[in-house]
Coordinates of all heavy atoms in Angstrom, one line a residue:
M65 N 1.1 14.9 8.6 CA 2.3 14.1 8.1 C 2.3 12.7 8.8 O 2.6 11.8 8.1 CB 3.5 14.9 8.4 CG 4.8 14.3 7.9 SD 4.7 13.9 6.2 CE 6.0 14.9 5.5
K66 N 1.9 12.7 10.1 CA 1.9 11.4 10.8 C 1.0 10.4 10.1 O 1.3 9.2 10.0 CB 1.6 11.6 12.3 CG 1.5 10.4 13.1 CD 1.1 10.7 14.5 CE 0.9 9.4 15.3 NZ 0.4 9.6 16.6
V67 N -0.2 10.9 9.8 CA -1.2 10.1 9.1 C -0.7 9.6 7.8 O -0.9 8.4 7.4 CB -2.6 10.8 9.0 CG1 -3.6 10.0 8.2 CG2 -3.1 11.1 10.4
L68 N -0.1 10.5 7.0 CA 0.4 10.0 5.7 C 1.5 8.9 5.9 O 1.5 8.0 5.1 CB 1.0 11.2 5.0 CG 1.6 10.9 3.6 CD1 0.6 10.3 2.7 CD2 2.2 12.2 3.0
L69 N 2.4 9.1 6.8 CA 3.4 8.1 7.1 C 2.7 6.7 7.5 O 3.2 5.7 7.1 CB 4.4 8.5 8.1 CG 5.3 9.6 7.7 CD1 6.2 10.1 8.8 CD2 6.2 9.2 6.5
L70 N 1.7 6.8 8.3 CA 0.9 5.6 8.7 C 0.3 5.0 7.5 O 0.3 3.8 7.3 CB -0.1 6.0 9.7 CG -0.9 4.9 10.4 CD1 0.0 3.9 11.0 CD2 -1.9 5.4 11.4
F71 N -0.3 5.8 6.6 CA -0.8 5.2 5.3 C 0.3 4.5 4.5 O 0.0 3.4 4.0 CB -1.5 6.3 4.5 CG -2.9 6.6 4.8 CD1 -3.3 7.9 5.1 CD2 -3.8 5.6 4.8 CE1 -4.6 8.2 5.4 CE2 -5.2 5.9 5.1 CZ -5.5 7.3 5.4
V72 N 1.4 5.1 4.4 CA 2.5 4.5 3.6 C 3.0 3.2 4.2 O 3.2 2.2 3.5 CB 3.7 5.5 3.5 CG1 4.9 4.9 2.9 CG2 3.3 6.7 2.6
A73 N 3.1 3.2 5.6 CA 3.5 2.0 6.2 C 2.5 0.9 6.0 O 2.8 -0.3 5.8 CB 3.7 2.2 7.7
T74 N 1.2 1.3 6.1 CA 0.1 0.3 5.9 C 0.2 -0.2 4.5 O 0.0 -1.5 4.3 CB -1.2 1.0 6.1 OG1 -1.2 1.6 7.5 CG2 -2.4 0.1 6.0
A75 N 0.4 0.6 3.5 CA 0.5 0.2 2.1 C 1.6 -0.8 1.9 O 1.5 -1.8 1.2 CB 0.5 1.4 1.2
L76 N 2.8 -0.4 2.4 CA 4.0 -1.3 2.3 C 3.7 -2.7 2.9 O 4.1 -3.7 2.3 CB 5.2 -0.6 2.9 CG 5.8 0.5 2.1 CD1 6.9 1.2 2.9 CD2 6.3 0.0 0.8
A77 N 3.1 -2.7 4.1 CA 2.8 -4.0 4.7 C 1.9 -4.8 3.8 O 2.1 -6.0 3.6 CB 2.2 -3.8 6.1
E78 N 0.9 -4.2 3.2 CA -0.1 -4.9 2.4 C 0.6 -5.4 1.1 O 0.5 -6.6 0.7 CB -1.3 -4.1 2.0 CG -2.3 -4.9 1.1 CD -3.5 -4.0 0.7 OE1 -3.5 -2.8 0.9 OE2 -4.4 -4.7 0.2
I79 N 1.4 -4.6 0.5 CA 2.1 -5.0 -0.7 C 3.1 -6.1 -0.5 O 3.1 -7.1 -1.2 CB 2.8 -3.8 -1.4 CG1 1.8 -2.8 -1.9 CG2 3.8 -4.2 -2.5 CD1 2.3 -1.5 -2.4
V80 N 3.9 -6.0 0.6 CA 4.8 -7.1 0.9 C 4.0 -8.4 1.2 O 4.4 -9.5 0.8 CB 5.7 -6.7 2.1 CG1 6.5 -7.9 2.7 CG2 6.7 -5.6 1.7
G81 N 2.9 -8.3 2.0 CA 2.1 -9.4 2.3 C 1.5 -10.1 1.1 O 1.2 -11.3 1.1
C82 N 1.3 -9.4 0.0 CA 0.8 -10.0 -1.2 C 1.9 -10.3 -2.2 O 1.8 -11.3 -3.0 CB -0.2 -9.0 -1.9 SG -1.6 -8.7 -0.9
Y83 N 3.0 -9.6 -2.2 CA 4.1 -9.8 -3.1 C 4.8 -11.1 -2.8 O 5.2 -11.9 -3.8 CB 5.1 -8.7 -3.1 CG 6.2 -8.7 -4.1 CD1 6.0 -8.5 -5.4 CD2 7.5 -9.0 -3.7 CE1 7.0 -8.6 -6.4 CE2 8.5 -9.1 -4.6 CZ 8.3 -8.9 -5.9 OH 9.3 -8.9 -6.8
L84 N 5.0 -11.4 -1.6 CA 5.8 -12.7 -1.2 C 5.1 -13.9 -1.7 O 5.7 -14.8 -2.3 CB 6.1 -12.7 0.3 CG 7.1 -11.6 0.7 CD1 7.3 -11.6 2.2 CD2 8.4 -11.7 0.0
P85 N 3.7 -14.1 -1.4 CA 3.1 -15.3 -2.0 C 3.1 -15.3 -3.5 O 3.2 -16.4 -4.1 CB 1.6 -15.1 -1.5 CG 1.8 -14.3 -0.2 CD 2.9 -13.3 -0.5
W86 N 3.0 -14.1 -4.1 CA 3.2 -14.1 -5.6 C 4.5 -14.6 -6.0 O 4.6 -15.4 -7.0 CB 3.0 -12.6 -6.1 CG 3.1 -12.5 -7.6 CD1 2.1 -12.6 -8.5 CD2 4.3 -12.2 -8.3 NE1 2.6 -12.4 -9.7 CE2 3.9 -12.1 -9.7 CE3 5.6 -11.9 -8.0 CZ2 4.8 -11.9 -10.7 CZ3 6.5 -11.6 -9.0 CH2 6.1 -11.6 -10.3
L87 N 5.6 -14.2 -5.3 CA 6.9 -14.8 -5.7 C 6.9 -16.3 -5.5 O 7.5 -17.0 -6.3 CB 8.0 -14.2 -4.7 CG 8.4 -12.8 -5.0 CD1 9.5 -12.4 -4.0 CD2 9.1 -12.7 -6.4
W88 N 6.2 -16.8 -4.5 CA 6.2 -18.2 -4.2 C 5.4 -18.9 -5.4 O 5.9 -19.9 -5.9 CB 5.5 -18.5 -2.9 CG 5.2 -19.9 -2.6 CD1 6.1 -21.0 -2.6 CD2 4.0 -20.5 -2.4 NE1 5.5 -22.2 -2.4 CE2 4.1 -21.9 -2.2 CE3 2.7 -20.0 -2.2 CZ2 3.1 -22.8 -1.9 CZ3 1.6 -20.8 -1.9 CH2 1.8 -22.2 -1.8
L89 N 4.3 -18.4 -5.7 CA 3.4 -19.0 -6.7 C 3.9 -18.8 -8.2 O 3.8 -19.8 -9.0 CB 2.0 -18.5 -6.6 CG 1.2 -18.9 -5.3 CD1 0.0 -18.1 -5.2 CD2 0.9 -20.4 -5.3
R90 N 4.3 -17.7 -8.5 CA 4.6 -17.3 -9.9 C 6.1 -17.4 -10.3 O 6.4 -17.6 -11.4 CB 4.1 -15.9 -10.2 CG 2.6 -15.8 -10.0 CD 1.8 -16.5 -11.0 NE 2.1 -15.9 -12.3 CZ 1.2 -15.5 -13.2 NH1 0.0 -15.8 -13.0 NH2 1.6 -15.0 -14.3
Q91 N 7.0 -17.3 -9.3 CA 8.4 -17.3 -9.6 C 9.1 -18.4 -8.9 O 10.3 -18.4 -8.8 CB 9.0 -15.9 -9.1 CG 8.4 -14.7 -9.6 CD 8.6 -14.5 -11.1 OE1 9.7 -14.9 -11.6 NE2 7.6 -14.1 -11.9
N92 N 8.4 -19.5 -8.5 CA 8.9 -20.6 -7.9 C 9.8 -20.3 -6.7 O 10.8 -20.9 -6.5 CB 9.7 -21.5 -8.9 CG 8.9 -22.0 -10.0 OD1 7.7 -22.4 -9.8 ND2 9.3 -21.9 -11.3
G93 N 9.3 -19.4 -5.9 CA 10.0 -19.0 -4.7 C 9.8 -20.1 -3.6 O 9.0 -21.0 -3.7
S94 N 10.5 -19.9 -2.5 CA 10.4 -20.9 -1.4 C 9.1 -20.7 -0.7 O 8.6 -19.6 -0.5 CB 11.6 -20.6 -0.4 OG 11.3 -21.2 0.8
P95 N 8.5 -21.8 -0.2 CA 7.3 -21.7 0.6 C 7.5 -20.9 1.9 O 6.6 -20.5 2.5 CB 6.9 -23.2 0.9 CG 7.8 -24.0 0.1 CD 8.9 -23.2 -0.5
W96 N 8.8 -20.8 2.3 CA 9.1 -20.0 3.5 C 8.7 -18.6 3.3 O 8.6 -17.8 4.3 CB 10.6 -20.2 3.9 CG 10.8 -21.5 4.5 CD1 11.4 -22.6 3.9 CD2 10.4 -22.0 5.8 NE1 11.4 -23.7 4.8 CE2 10.9 -23.3 5.9 CE3 9.8 -21.3 6.9 CZ2 10.7 -24.0 7.1 CZ3 9.6 -22.1 8.0 CH2 10.0 -23.4 8.1
L97 N 8.5 -18.1 2.1 CA 8.1 -16.7 1.8 C 6.7 -16.5 2.5 O 6.4 -15.3 2.7 CB 8.1 -16.4 0.3 CG 9.4 -16.4 -0.4 CD1 9.2 -16.3 -1.9 CD2 10.2 -15.2 0.1
L98 N 6.0 -17.5 2.7 CA 4.6 -17.3 3.3 C 4.7 -16.9 4.7 O 3.7 -16.3 5.2 CB 3.8 -18.6 3.1 CG 3.6 -19.1 1.7 CD1 2.8 -20.4 1.6 CD2 2.9 -18.0 0.9
V99 N 5.8 -17.2 5.4 CA 5.9 -16.8 6.8 C 6.0 -15.3 7.0 O 5.2 -14.7 7.7 CB 7.0 -17.6 7.5 CG1 7.2 -17.0 8.9 CG2 6.8 -19.1 7.5
P100 N 7.0 -14.6 6.3 CA 7.0 -13.2 6.4 C 5.8 -12.5 5.8 O 5.3 -11.4 6.2 CB 8.3 -12.8 5.8 CG 8.7 -13.9 5.0 CD 8.1 -15.1 5.6
A101 N 5.2 -13.2 4.8 CA 4.0 -12.6 4.2 C 2.8 -12.6 5.2 O 2.1 -11.6 5.3 CB 3.6 -13.5 3.0
A102 N 2.7 -13.6 6.0 CA 1.6 -13.7 7.0 C 1.9 -12.6 8.0 O 0.9 -11.9 8.5 CB 1.6 -15.0 7.7
F103 N 3.1 -12.4 8.4 CA 3.4 -11.3 9.4 C 3.2 -9.9 8.8 O 2.6 -9.1 9.5 CB 4.9 -11.4 9.9 CG 5.1 -12.5 10.9 CD1 5.8 -13.6 10.6 CD2 4.7 -12.3 12.2 CE1 6.1 -14.6 11.5 CE2 4.9 -13.3 13.2 CZ 5.6 -14.4 12.8
A104 N 3.5 -9.8 7.5 CA 3.2 -8.5 6.9 C 1.7 -8.2 6.8 O 1.3 -7.1 7.0 CB 3.9 -8.5 5.5
L105 N 0.9 -9.2 6.5 CA -0.5 -9.0 6.4 C -1.1 -8.8 7.8 O -2.0 -8.0 7.9 CB -1.2 -10.2 5.7 CG -0.9 -10.2 4.2 CD1 -1.5 -11.5 3.6 CD2 -1.5 -9.0 3.5
A106 N -0.6 -9.4 8.8 CA -1.0 -9.1 10.2 C -0.6 -7.7 10.6 O -1.4 -7.0 11.2 CB -0.4 -10.1 11.2
A107 N 0.5 -7.3 10.2 CA 0.9 -5.9 10.4 C 0.0 -4.9 9.7 O -0.3 -3.8 10.2 CB 2.4 -5.7 10.0
F108 N -0.3 -5.2 8.5 CA -1.3 -4.4 7.7 C -2.6 -4.2 8.4 O -3.0 -3.1 8.6 CB -1.5 -5.1 6.3 CG -2.7 -4.6 5.6 CD1 -2.8 -3.4 5.1 CD2 -3.8 -5.5 5.4 CE1 -3.9 -2.9 4.4 CE2 -4.9 -5.1 4.7 CZ -5.0 -3.8 4.2
V109 N -3.1 -5.3 8.9 CA -4.4 -5.2 9.7 C -4.2 -4.3 10.9 O -5.1 -3.5 11.2 CB -5.0 -6.6 10.0 CG1 -6.2 -6.5 10.9 CG2 -5.3 -7.3 8.7
W110 N -3.2 -4.6 11.6 CA -2.9 -3.8 12.9 C -2.7 -2.4 12.5 O -3.3 -1.5 13.2 CB -1.6 -4.4 13.6 CG -1.2 -3.6 14.8 CD1 -1.9 -3.5 15.9 CD2 -0.1 -2.8 14.9 NE1 -1.2 -2.7 16.8 CE2 -0.1 -2.2 16.1 CE3 1.0 -2.5 14.0 CZ2 0.9 -1.4 16.6 CZ3 1.9 -1.6 14.4 CH2 1.9 -1.1 15.7
L111 N -1.9 -2.0 11.5 CA -1.7 -0.6 11.1 C -3.0 0.0 10.7 O -3.2 1.2 11.1 CB -0.7 -0.6 10.0 CG 0.7 -0.8 10.4 CD1 1.6 -1.1 9.1 CD2 1.3 0.3 11.2
L112 N -3.9 -0.7 10.1 CA -5.2 -0.1 9.7 C -6.0 0.3 11.0 O -6.7 1.3 11.0 CB -6.1 -1.1 8.9 CG -5.8 -1.1 7.4 CD1 -6.7 -2.2 6.8 CD2 -6.1 0.3 6.8
S113 N -5.8 -0.5 12.1 CA -6.5 -0.2 13.3 C -6.0 1.1 14.0 O -6.7 1.6 14.9 CB -6.5 -1.4 14.3 OG -5.2 -1.5 14.8
L114 N -4.8 1.6 13.6 CA -4.2 2.7 14.3 C -4.7 4.0 13.6 O -4.4 5.1 14.2 CB -2.7 2.6 14.2 CG -2.1 1.4 14.9 CD1 -0.5 1.5 14.7 CD2 -2.4 1.4 16.3
H115 N -5.3 4.0 12.5 CA -5.7 5.2 11.9 C -6.8 6.0 12.7 O -7.7 5.3 13.3 CB -6.2 4.9 10.4 CG -5.1 4.5 9.5 ND1 -4.4 5.4 8.8 CD2 -4.6 3.3 9.3 CE1 -3.5 4.8 8.1 NE2 -3.6 3.5 8.4
P116 N -6.7 7.3 12.7 CA -7.5 8.1 13.7 C -8.9 8.5 13.2 O -9.4 9.4 13.8 CB -6.6 9.3 13.8 CG -6.0 9.5 12.5 CD -5.7 8.1 12.0
T117 N -9.5 7.8 12.3 CA -10.8 8.3 11.8 C -11.7 7.0 11.5 O -11.2 5.9 11.6 CB -10.7 9.2 10.6 OG1 -12.0 9.8 10.3 CG2 -10.2 8.5 9.4
A118 N -12.9 7.2 11.1 CA -13.8 6.1 10.9 C -13.3 5.2 9.8 O -12.6 5.6 8.8 CB -15.2 6.7 10.4
T119 N -13.5 3.9 10.0 CA -12.9 2.9 9.1 C -13.3 3.1 7.6 O -12.4 3.0 6.8 CB -13.4 1.5 9.5 OG1 -14.8 1.4 9.5 CG2 -12.8 1.1 10.9
G120 N -14.5 3.4 7.3 CA -14.9 3.6 5.9 C -14.1 4.8 5.3 O -13.6 4.7 4.1
R121 N -13.9 5.8 6.0 CA -13.1 7.0 5.5 C -11.6 6.6 5.4 O -11.0 7.0 4.4 CB -13.3 8.2 6.5 CG -12.6 9.4 6.0 CD -13.0 10.6 6.8 NE -14.4 10.9 6.6 CZ -15.3 11.1 7.6 NH1 -14.9 10.9 8.9 NH2 -16.5 11.3 7.4
V122 N -11.1 5.8 6.3 CA -9.7 5.4 6.3 C -9.5 4.5 5.0 O -8.6 4.7 4.3 CB -9.3 4.6 7.6 CG1 -8.0 3.9 7.4 CG2 -9.2 5.6 8.7
Y123 N -10.4 3.6 4.8 CA -10.3 2.7 3.7 C -10.3 3.5 2.3 O -9.6 3.2 1.4 CB -11.4 1.6 3.6 CG -11.3 0.6 4.8 CD1 -12.4 -0.1 5.2 CD2 -10.1 0.4 5.5 CE1 -12.4 -0.9 6.3 CE2 -10.0 -0.5 6.6 CZ -11.2 -1.1 6.9 OH -11.1 -2.0 8.0
A124 N -11.2 4.4 2.3 CA -11.3 5.2 1.0 C -10.1 6.0 0.8 O -9.5 6.1 -0.3 CB -12.5 6.2 1.1
A125 N -9.6 6.7 1.8 CA -8.4 7.5 1.7 C -7.1 6.6 1.5 O -6.2 7.0 0.7 CB -8.2 8.4 2.9
Y126 N -7.1 5.5 2.2 CA -5.9 4.6 2.1 C -5.8 4.1 0.6 O -4.6 4.0 0.1 CB -6.1 3.4 3.0 CG -5.2 2.3 2.7 CD1 -3.9 2.3 3.0 CD2 -5.7 1.1 2.1 CE1 -3.0 1.3 2.7 CE2 -4.9 0.1 1.8 CZ -3.5 0.2 2.1 OH -2.7 -0.9 1.8
G127 N -6.9 3.9 -0.1 CA -6.8 3.5 -1.5 C -5.9 4.4 -2.3 O -5.2 4.0 -3.2
G128 N -6.1 5.7 -2.1 CA -5.3 6.7 -2.8 C -3.8 6.5 -2.6 O -2.9 6.6 -3.5
V129 N -3.4 6.4 -1.3 CA -2.0 6.2 -0.9 C -1.5 4.8 -1.5 O -0.4 4.8 -2.0 CB -1.8 6.3 0.6 CG1 -0.4 6.0 1.0 CG2 -2.3 7.7 1.1
Y130 N -2.4 3.8 -1.4 CA -2.0 2.5 -1.9 C -1.6 2.6 -3.4 O -0.6 2.0 -3.8 CB -3.1 1.5 -1.7 CG -2.7 0.1 -2.2 CD1 -2.0 -0.8 -1.4 CD2 -3.0 -0.3 -3.5 CE1 -1.6 -2.0 -1.9 CE2 -2.7 -1.5 -4.0 CZ -2.0 -2.4 -3.2 OH -1.6 -3.6 -3.7
V131 N -2.3 3.3 -4.2 CA -2.0 3.4 -5.6 C -0.6 4.1 -5.8 O 0.2 3.6 -6.6 CB -3.1 4.3 -6.3 CG1 -2.7 4.7 -7.7 CG2 -4.4 3.6 -6.4
A132 N -0.3 5.1 -5.1 CA 0.9 5.8 -5.2 C 2.1 4.9 -4.8 O 3.1 4.8 -5.4 CB 1.0 7.1 -4.4
V133 N 1.9 4.2 -3.6 CA 3.0 3.3 -3.1 C 3.1 2.1 -4.1 O 4.3 1.7 -4.3 CB 2.6 2.8 -1.7 CG1 3.6 1.8 -1.2 CG2 2.7 4.0 -0.7
A134 N 2.1 1.6 -4.6 CA 2.2 0.5 -5.6 C 3.0 0.9 -6.8 O 3.8 0.1 -7.4 CB 0.8 0.0 -6.0
L135 N 2.8 2.1 -7.3 CA 3.6 2.6 -8.4 C 5.0 2.8 -8.1 O 5.9 2.5 -8.9 CB 3.0 3.9 -9.0 CG 1.7 3.7 -9.8 CD1 1.0 5.0 -10.1 CD2 1.9 2.8 -11.0
L136 N 5.3 3.2 -6.9 CA 6.7 3.3 -6.4 C 7.3 1.9 -6.3 O 8.5 1.7 -6.7 CB 6.7 4.0 -5.0 CG 8.1 4.3 -4.4 CD1 8.9 5.2 -5.3 CD2 8.0 4.9 -3.1
W137 N 6.5 0.9 -5.8 CA 7.0 -0.5 -5.8 C 7.3 -0.9 -7.2 O 8.3 -1.6 -7.5 CB 5.9 -1.3 -5.2 CG 6.3 -2.8 -5.0 CD1 6.2 -3.7 -5.9 CD2 6.9 -3.4 -3.8 NE1 6.7 -4.9 -5.4 CE2 7.1 -4.7 -4.1 CE3 7.2 -2.9 -2.6 CZ2 7.6 -5.6 -3.2 CZ3 7.7 -3.8 -1.6 CH2 7.9 -5.1 -2.0
L138 N 6.4 -0.6 -8.2 CA 6.6 -1.0 -9.6 C 8.0 -0.5 -10.1 O 8.7 -1.2 -10.7 CB 5.5 -0.4 -10.4 CG 5.6 -0.6 -11.9 CD1 5.3 -2.0 -12.4 CD2 4.7 0.4 -12.6
W139 N 8.3 0.7 -9.7 CA 9.5 1.3 -10.2 C 10.7 0.8 -9.4 O 11.7 0.3 -10.1 CB 9.4 2.8 -9.9 CG 10.6 3.7 -10.4 CD1 11.4 3.4 -11.4 CD2 11.0 4.9 -9.9 NE1 12.3 4.4 -11.6 CE2 12.1 5.4 -10.7 CE3 10.5 5.7 -8.9 CZ2 12.7 6.6 -10.4 CZ3 11.1 7.0 -8.7 CH2 12.2 7.4 -9.4
R140 N 10.7 0.7 -8.1 CA 11.9 0.3 -7.3 C 12.1 -1.2 -7.2 O 13.2 -1.6 -7.2 CB 11.8 0.9 -5.9 CG 11.9 2.4 -5.9 CD 13.2 2.8 -6.5 NE 13.3 4.3 -6.4 CZ 14.3 4.9 -7.0 NH1 15.2 4.3 -7.7 NH2 14.4 6.2 -6.9
V141 N 11.1 -2.0 -7.2 CA 11.2 -3.4 -7.0 C 11.1 -4.1 -8.4 O 12.0 -5.0 -8.7 CB 10.2 -4.0 -6.0 CG1 10.2 -5.5 -6.0 CG2 10.4 -3.4 -4.7
D142 N 10.1 -3.8 -9.2 CA 10.0 -4.5 -10.5 C 10.8 -3.8 -11.6 O 11.0 -4.4 -12.7 CB 8.5 -4.5 -10.9 CG 7.7 -5.3 -10.0 OD1 8.2 -6.3 -9.4 OD2 6.4 -5.0 -9.9
G143 N 11.4 -2.6 -11.3 CA 12.3 -2.0 -12.3 C 11.5 -1.4 -13.5 O 12.1 -1.2 -14.5
V144 N 10.3 -1.1 -13.3 CA 9.5 -0.5 -14.4 C 9.2 0.9 -14.0 O 8.5 1.2 -13.0 CB 8.2 -1.3 -14.7 CG1 7.3 -0.6 -15.7 CG2 8.5 -2.7 -15.0
A145 N 9.7 1.9 -14.8 CA 9.4 3.3 -14.5 C 8.0 3.6 -14.8 O 7.5 3.3 -15.8 CB 10.4 4.2 -15.3
P146 N 7.3 4.3 -13.8 CA 5.9 4.7 -14.1 C 5.9 5.8 -15.3 O 6.8 6.6 -15.4 CB 5.5 5.4 -12.8 CG 6.6 5.1 -11.8 CD 7.8 4.7 -12.5
S147 N 4.8 5.7 -16.0 CA 4.7 6.7 -17.1 C 4.1 8.0 -16.5 O 3.7 8.0 -15.4 CB 3.7 6.1 -18.1 OG 2.3 6.1 -17.6
R148 N 4.1 9.0 -17.3 CA 3.5 10.2 -16.9 C 2.0 10.1 -16.5 O 1.5 10.7 -15.7 CB 3.7 11.3 -17.9 CG 3.0 11.1 -19.2 CD 3.2 12.3 -20.1 NE 2.6 12.0 -21.4 CZ 3.0 12.5 -22.5 NH1 3.9 13.4 -22.6 NH2 2.4 12.2 -23.6
W149 N 1.3 9.1 -17.2 CA -0.1 8.9 -16.9 C -0.2 8.2 -15.6 O -1.1 8.4 -14.8 CB -0.7 8.0 -18.0 CG -0.7 8.8 -19.3 CD1 0.1 8.6 -20.4 CD2 -1.5 10.0 -19.7 NE1 -0.1 9.5 -21.4 CE2 -1.1 10.4 -20.9 CE3 -2.4 10.7 -19.0 CZ2 -1.6 11.5 -21.6 CZ3 -3.0 11.8 -19.6 CH2 -2.6 12.2 -20.9
D150 N 0.7 7.3 -15.3 CA 0.7 6.6 -14.0 C 0.9 7.7 -12.9 O 0.2 7.7 -11.9 CB 1.9 5.6 -13.8 CG 1.8 4.4 -14.7 OD1 0.6 4.0 -15.0 OD2 2.8 3.9 -15.1
L151 N 1.8 8.6 -13.1 CA 2.1 9.7 -12.1 C 0.9 10.6 -12.0 O 0.6 11.0 -10.9 CB 3.4 10.4 -12.5 CG 4.7 9.6 -12.5 CD1 5.8 10.4 -13.0 CD2 4.9 9.0 -11.1
L152 N 0.3 11.0 -13.1 CA -0.9 11.8 -13.0 C -2.0 11.1 -12.3 O -2.6 11.7 -11.4 CB -1.4 12.1 -14.4 CG -2.7 13.0 -14.5 CD1 -2.5 14.3 -13.9 CD2 -3.1 13.1 -16.0
G153 N -2.2 9.8 -12.5 CA -3.3 9.1 -11.8 C -3.0 9.0 -10.3 O -3.8 9.2 -9.5
A154 N -1.7 8.8 -10.0 CA -1.3 8.7 -8.6 C -1.5 10.1 -7.9 O -2.0 10.1 -6.8 CB 0.1 8.3 -8.4
G155 N -1.2 11.1 -8.6 CA -1.4 12.5 -8.1 C -2.9 12.8 -7.8 O -3.2 13.3 -6.8
L156 N -3.7 12.3 -8.7 CA -5.2 12.5 -8.5 C -5.6 11.7 -7.3 O -6.5 12.2 -6.5 CB -5.9 12.1 -9.8 CG -5.8 13.1 -11.0 CD1 -6.4 12.4 -12.2 CD2 -6.4 14.4 -10.7
C157 N -5.1 10.5 -7.2 CA -5.5 9.6 -6.1 C -5.1 10.3 -4.7 O -5.8 10.3 -3.8 CB -4.9 8.2 -6.2 SG -5.6 7.3 -7.5
L158 N -3.8 10.8 -4.7 CA -3.4 11.5 -3.5 C -4.2 12.8 -3.2 O -4.4 13.1 -2.0 CB -1.9 11.8 -3.6 CG -1.0 10.6 -3.6 CD1 0.5 10.9 -3.8 CD2 -1.1 9.8 -2.2
A159 N -4.6 13.5 -4.2 CA -5.4 14.6 -4.0 C -6.7 14.2 -3.4 O -7.3 14.9 -2.5 CB -5.6 15.4 -5.3
G160 N -7.3 13.1 -3.9 CA -8.5 12.6 -3.4 C -8.4 12.2 -1.9 O -9.2 12.5 -1.1
M161 N -7.2 11.5 -1.6 CA -7.0 11.2 -0.2 C -6.9 12.4 0.7 O -7.5 12.4 1.8 CB -5.6 10.4 -0.1 CG -5.2 9.9 1.2 SD -4.4 11.1 2.3 CE -2.9 11.5 1.4
A162 N -6.2 13.4 0.2 CA -6.1 14.7 1.0 C -7.5 15.3 1.2 O -7.7 15.8 2.4 CB -5.2 15.6 0.3
I163 N -8.3 15.3 0.2 CA -9.6 15.9 0.4 C -10.4 15.1 1.4 O -11.1 15.7 2.3 CB -10.4 15.9 -1.0 CG1 -9.7 16.9 -1.9 CG2 -11.9 16.2 -0.8 CD1 -10.2 16.9 -3.3
I164 N -10.4 13.8 1.4 CA -11.1 12.9 2.3 C -10.6 13.1 3.7 O -11.4 13.3 4.7 CB -11.0 11.5 1.9 CG1 -11.8 11.2 0.6 CG2 -11.5 10.5 3.0 CD1 -11.5 9.9 -0.1
M165 N -9.3 13.2 3.9 CA -8.7 13.2 5.2 C -8.7 14.6 5.9 O -8.7 14.7 7.1 CB -7.3 12.6 5.2 CG -7.3 11.1 5.0 SD -8.3 10.1 6.1 CE -7.5 10.3 7.6
L166 N -8.5 15.6 5.0 CA -8.4 17.0 5.6 C -9.6 17.8 5.6 O -9.6 18.9 6.0 CB -7.2 17.7 4.8 CG -5.9 16.9 4.8 CD1 -4.9 17.7 3.9 CD2 -5.4 16.8 6.3
A167 N -10.7 17.3 5.0 CA -11.9 18.1 5.0 C -12.4 18.4 6.4 O -12.3 17.5 7.3 CB -13.0 17.3 4.2
P168 N -13.0 19.6 6.6 CA -13.6 19.9 7.9 C -14.8 19.0 8.2 O -15.5 18.6 7.3 CB -14.0 21.4 7.7 CG -13.9 21.7 6.3 CD -13.1 20.6 5.6
R169 N -14.9 18.6 9.4 CA -16.0 17.7 9.8 C -16.9 18.4 10.8 O -16.4 19.2 11.6 CB -15.4 16.5 10.5 CG -14.4 15.7 9.8 CD -15.0 14.7 8.8 NE -13.9 14.1 8.1 CZ -13.7 14.1 6.8 NH1 -14.6 14.7 6.0 NH2 -12.7 13.5 6.2
S170 N -18.2 18.2 10.6 CA -19.1 18.8 11.6 C -19.7 17.7 12.4 O -20.1 16.6 11.9 CB -20.3 19.5 10.9 OG -21.0 18.6 10.0
G171 N -19.7 17.9 13.7 CA -20.2 16.9 14.7 C -19.5 15.7 14.7 O -19.3 14.7 14.9

């Protein structure tokens, strides 16, 4: 559960770090949005360093969580409800993440 929460926090930091510059560029937001965006992306990198396994495995598993969190962002921030296909895809991604992270390791 701790690793899953760490993945979610990592995904949120990345999404915020990318969303704020998008607001600045596409929605005529304030350039001051770049300051918290930079902090969010720095937090994203730092959070990635806290994951307890090899980086390649973390990046692969993190991708599954990112997909699910991005769809939650779509729903809660952009106001677009995910379709059943979105939810099915996110479920498959989370199943893949679980297989990668929870598989028994030798050596």
